[in-house]
Amino acid sequence: MLGFLIQRLMQAAVVMLAISALVFVGVFAIGNPIDVLISPDVTQQIRLDTIARYGFDRPLWEQYLAFLNRLIHGDFGRSFVFNMPVLNLILSRLPATLELTLAAVLGATLIGVPLGMFAGYRPDGVPSRIIMAVSVLGFALPTFWIGLMLIMVFAVQLGWLPAGGRGETVHILGVEWSFLTLNGLRHLFLPALTLSLFRLALMIRLARAGMREAILSDYVKFARAQGLSEMKVVCGHVLKNISIPIVTVFGLELAATLAFAVVTETIFSWPGLGKLIIDSIQSLDRPVMVAYLVLVAFLFIMINFMVDIAYAALDPRLRAGRA
Amino acid sequence: MSAPLLQVRDLATHFFMREGVAKAVDGVSFELGQGEILGLVGESGSGKSVTGYSLLGLVDPPGRIVAGSIKLNGQELVGLPQAELRRMRGRRMAMVFQDPMTTLNPVLTVATQIKYAIGAHESVSAKAGRARAIDVLTRVGIPDAAARLDDYPHQFSGGMRQRVAIAIALLNRPDMIVADEPTTALDVSIQAQILAEMKSLVRDLGTALIWISHDLAAVSALAGRIMVMYAGRIVEYGPTAAVLRAPRHPYTRGLLDSLPMRAEPGQELAQIPGAPPSLAALPPGCPFHPRCPSADAICQTAPATTASGGRGWRCHHPLLDGAA
Ligand SMILES: Nc1ncnc2c1ncn2[C@@H]1O[C@H](COP(=O)(O)OP(=O)(O)OP(=O)(O)O)[C@@H](O)[C@H]1O
Ligand SMILES: [Mg+2]
């Protein structure tokens, strides 16, 4: 197990290095940020000084190495626009995205898996048909449309829920959280629902497919032959068996939603990372873009890593090298 | 003789599919005494497994029991609510399946699976449960059972897995076990071991056993009586020795002739010509007649069962003293 962990960590380091290079070069190609930094009517001398101060006159590889060096020391640079350390900027926005994403993906899983299992257990009943119809909708409707519709119905027409913002927040460990106040929860509900519909559909499909396969398997028949109740057969035997694909997709979706909640955050003016990255692209705020992309890559790798560990915990056959 | 443990009358289990109705079990009757070992043989697809599932009330849709009666200790099982059947499964009747690789849940330890099986019928302390698990695993011949308890199925060999499955089936001391070809997937030496162990286990526990197999030779080593099944019906039954010595039904004769040990070395094995019929489109009359060497016009009508001296057969042209 330890060897496995070390191997995965080394792989992760190599992947991170490659990604940092890709990101750096990619963002470099977008254009010269110097015009954002200084007004066009300064003297040529000031302009050259500024370029030299940021190192924009150096060759690309030298800039990259300098960037890498700073990165290793935890220095992501300063935002051109906000004029503050990028790391602080991103960390101040991360909790908002984190709670939105977790609420959406966790909610989708906790609701979608039981629904999907039910639909797989009784595939021919009316409730199952309704569940499957919901999942088709979840796949078919674009997220932005769902968001706009939810705002129109619940915020504009009915006036039950707010249309944007985070609402009241509570400070814990130096960061702000919405989900701890009723008002914050009300603000969280619509964007989380918007983000979760697609994930809900996915989880329903996965759990249903797993259940349909498992329920015909020999071990289920054998469990029934021992007199186990259907509840015990499903929760004791089947659930653990079908949880591996569910955990995989949970991890992937968590990472992907963290990184790409952009549309939903924009629609609901949710002050998270997505909004930050859109703003930084518009203003060519290079350090923010680079740091964001590196951070996203890092999150992906970390989550994948945890999924691998969860696999080993769930499937004994993958736990090699046990005495 | 006292009343038999199990009494099956005219049992019919059909599968209702779009292509038609498959009569997997069609009018099966037999009895099983307390502690008796009964063999059930027939080619693949003859309805042996479905007979077993029917006894335990485990027929999956689109199949269901459409007629007949199954009495265990005088209690009627056909039509019993699932909740009642569930309480009887494991405790009064149990089943072991063919493929030991798939009957155990790969992601649960043996201890957990045994715990669930005990917990289905009574609540015992974790410690008492473990003690019982170790006891039953030792009984089926698993060495160092205490240490193996927390292993997962993939850490056992095929033969050991089947022993674990047998242990789980025996756990609640059922009156009757249906063993559905439990040794078919194992290699020959292990087959013989498990066969012998199973025989002594059920003798010690007084458990009745229905041993399903397509291998007449294996069954004959075990069962006091056998039934031969063809296309959902029992075509011949009787004491094993008598049936093997002098089969009455041409189908039994055919099965016997295709046994390797009956052939001279180098000689080609006899085979029953043709293939078993589709259960959804059975030929009229005796379902075996298209493949039967003695068939004639009368075989277009269904033969009744002729019973005599503890034996019975369903044939218009029974063989005399096994003559071919
Ligand atoms: N789930 C099912 N759906 C539809 N038909 C089925 C199903 N299970 C069994 N049958 C029908 O019942 C017939 C008998 O099947 P069964 O499994 O009892 O055969 P068997 O004698 O046990 O054969 P084998 O030696 O291969 O195990 C099959 O040929 C098939 O037509
Ligand atoms: Mg079978």
Side-chain angles (χ1 to χ4, degrees):
Chain A
M1 189 76 189
L2 193 65
F4 164 79
L5 285 180
I6 292 172
Q7 188 196 346
R8 293 316 297 256
L9 277 175
M10 307 238 302
Q11 276 177 13
V14 172
V15 172
M16 280 309 298
L17 195 68
I19 284 176
S20 71
L22 272 177
V23 164
F24 191 80
V25 173
V27 172
F28 194 89
I30 292 178
N32 193 341
I34 201 67
D35 303 322
V36 188
L37 289 171
I38 48 180
S39 61
D41 45 322
V42 296
T43 64
Q44 188 63 12
Q45 187 54 42
I46 294 181
R47 190 179 161 83
L48 288 179
D49 281 351
T50 313
I51 289 178
R53 179 146 52 87
Y54 284 100
F56 293 147
D57 53 343
R58 315 302 305 168
L60 178 59
W61 63 269
E62 225 175 273
Q63 289 188 44
Y64 173 64
L65 282 187
F67 161 74
L68 212 56
N69 187 35
R70 276 182 274 123
L71 210 59
I72 288 166
H73 293 97
D75 176 9
F76 284 80
R78 292 180 79 82
S79 160
F80 299 156
V81 175
F82 294 87
N83 197 24
M84 63 186 281
V86 169
L87 199 58
N88 294 5
L89 186 62
I90 286 184
L91 287 183
S92 74
R93 297 296 192 89
L94 189 59
T97 297
L98 212 55
E99 73 179 349
L100 177 61
T101 305
L102 269 177
V105 179
L106 216 55
T109 308
L110 292 181
I111 296 170
V113 169
L115 285 182
M117 286 175 74
F118 180 85
Y121 186 77
R122 288 250 158 81
D124 298 322
V126 173
S128 301
R129 282 173 211 279
I130 297 174
I131 292 169
M132 291 326 286
V134 169
S135 103
V136 169
L137 280 185
F139 278 124
L141 299 178
T143 303
F144 77 89
W145 190 85
I146 296 173
L148 292 177
M149 283 301 130
L150 287 179
I151 289 180
M152 226 164 76
V153 174
F154 291 100
V156 179
Q157 300 281 332
L158 298 172
W160 289 351
L161 292 165
R166 277 187 88 181
E168 273 174 50
T169 54
V170 177
H171 267 272
I172 287 183
L173 301 170
V175 284
E176 296 181 18
W177 301 98
S178 292
F179 75 99
L180 292 170
T181 68
L182 188 62
N183 181 274
L185 274 180
R186 282 163 48 88
H187 281 81
L188 182 61
F189 188 77
L190 284 186
L193 184 63
T194 305
L195 263 184
S196 71
L197 266 182
F198 173 82
R199 276 96 208 157
L200 182 76
L202 204 60
M203 287 299 176
I204 287 177
R205 290 280 158 146
L206 262 182
R208 185 178 103 115
M211 177 58 111
R212 291 202 66 169
E213 196 188 314
I215 208 72
L216 296 174
S217 66
D218 276 358
Y219 71 83
V220 164
K221 201 156 205 159
F222 189 52
R224 285 178 174 157
Q226 295 149 30
L228 267 70
S229 64
E230 287 303 286
M231 199 62 189
K232 197 80 198 175
V233 168
V234 167
C235 298
H237 279 278
V238 175
L239 184 60
K240 189 153 185 217
N241 235 283
I242 67 173
S243 56
I244 286 176
I246 291 174
V247 167
T248 313
V249 170
F250 178 84
L252 287 177
E253 281 303 316
L254 190 63
T257 315
L258 265 177
F260 308 117
V262 178
V263 174
T264 307
E265 288 189 358
T266 310
I267 293 174
F268 288 93
S269 339
W270 190 261
L273 283 178
K275 231 176 144 296
L276 179 68
I277 185 69
I278 291 286
D279 294 345
S280 71
I281 289 172
Q282 272 161 3
S283 54
L284 282 183
D285 195 348
R286 208 146 90 173
V288 176
M289 280 188 268
V290 171
Y292 171 79
L293 291 174
V294 170
L295 178 81
V296 164
F298 179 72
L299 283 174
F300 258 90
I301 287 171
M302 284 316 291
I303 289 175
N304 263 316
F305 188 57
M306 288 190 275
V307 166
D308 278 341
I309 293 176
Y311 270 5
L314 285 170
D315 193 337
R317 288 162 296 187
L318 300 177
R319 242 174 283 156
R322 189 163 164 258
Chain B
M1 204 175 89
S2 61
L5 172 71
L6 178 76
Q7 233 175 341
V8 179
R9 283 277 158 271
D10 301 318
L11 179 68
T13 304
H14 296 178
F15 286 84
F16 297 86
M17 292 170 302
R18 217 165 295 148
E19 310 86 76
V21 179
K23 300 179 177 174
V25 176
D26 199 19
V28 163
S29 304
F30 65 93
E31 289 178 357
L32 178 71
Q34 220 94 30
E36 189 190 353
I37 302 182
L38 175 65
L40 177 58
V41 295
E43 280 170 297
S44 189
S46 53
K48 308 182 296 293
S49 296
V50 174
T51 305
Y53 297 149
S54 304
L55 297 182
L56 274 87
L58 283 176
V59 181
D60 282 325
R64 67 186 154 81
I65 297 177
V66 292
S69 137
I70 301 169
K71 281 191 177 143
L72 186 67
N73 280 324
Q75 185 183 4
E76 179 61 56
L77 302 188
V78 175
L80 212 59
Q82 269 300 324
E84 305 239 345
L85 269 175
R86 182 193 78 68
R87 270 197 288 280
M88 302 185 67
R89 283 197 288 263
R91 213 166 39 167
R92 309 283 301 280
M93 53 203 179
M95 190 157 175
V96 182
F97 298 133
Q98 175 167 352
D99 187 355
M101 298 302 165
T102 56
T103 35
L104 297 175
N105 189 339
V107 300
L108 300 178
T109 63
V110 165
T112 307
Q113 302 192 44
I114 293 182
K115 188 179 81 187
Y116 287 166
I118 297 177
H121 298 288
E122 55 194 302
S123 57
V124 295
S125 71
K127 213 172 135 199
R130 271 186 93 81
R132 194 146 131 208
I134 292 170
D135 173 62
V136 72
L137 287 179
T138 310
R139 218 183 250 275
V140 296
I142 290 185
D144 201 8
R148 304 300 310 265
L149 207 51
D150 291 305
D151 282 354
Y152 288 89
H154 75 277
Q155 291 165 299
F156 292 84
S157 68
M160 284 297 162
R161 276 191 228 190
Q162 196 60 286
R163 286 192 166 93
V164 171
I166 292 170
I168 291 178
L170 289 172
L171 205 55
N172 293 300
R173 299 196 166 230
D175 302 326
M176 167 185 92
I177 294 187
V178 179
D180 190 358
E181 312 200 35
T183 59
T184 306
L186 305 173
D187 66 55
V188 183
S189 60
I190 305 216
Q191 265 186 32
Q193 272 178 26
I194 290 193
L195 223 69
E197 283 165 13
M198 196 81 186
K199 193 170 179 174
S200 78
L201 271 173
V202 294
R203 190 185 329 108
D204 294 351
L205 296 171
T207 307
L209 178 64
I210 297 180
W211 188 274
I212 297 178
S213 178
H214 54 246
D215 181 359
L216 255 180
V219 173
S220 61
L222 193 68
R225 280 193 310 135
I226 60 170
M227 303 190 291
V228 180
M229 196 163 184
Y230 186 80
R233 303 168 197 186
I234 306 293
V235 294
E236 176 157 15
Y237 65 85
T240 309
V243 171
L244 293 193
R245 188 172 354 97
R248 296 282 186 240
H249 201 286
Y251 177 62
T252 316
R253 169 91 263 163
L255 282 182
L256 277 171
D257 286 344
S258 55
L259 285 180
M261 57 188 176
R262 296 256 168 155
E264 300 290 322
Q267 184 193 337
E268 230 177 274
L269 289 181
Q271 280 181 347
I272 304 175
S278 154
L279 293 176
L282 287 179
C286 169
F288 186 59
H289 83 256
R291 302 171 72 191
C292 181
S294 352
D296 60 18
I298 196 176
C299 298
Q300 298 284 340
T301 60
T305 302
T306 314
S308 125
R311 296 188 60 177
W313 53 87
R314 259 185 156 177
C315 183
H316 292 298
H317 306 291
L319 304 166
L320 294 173
D321 285 327

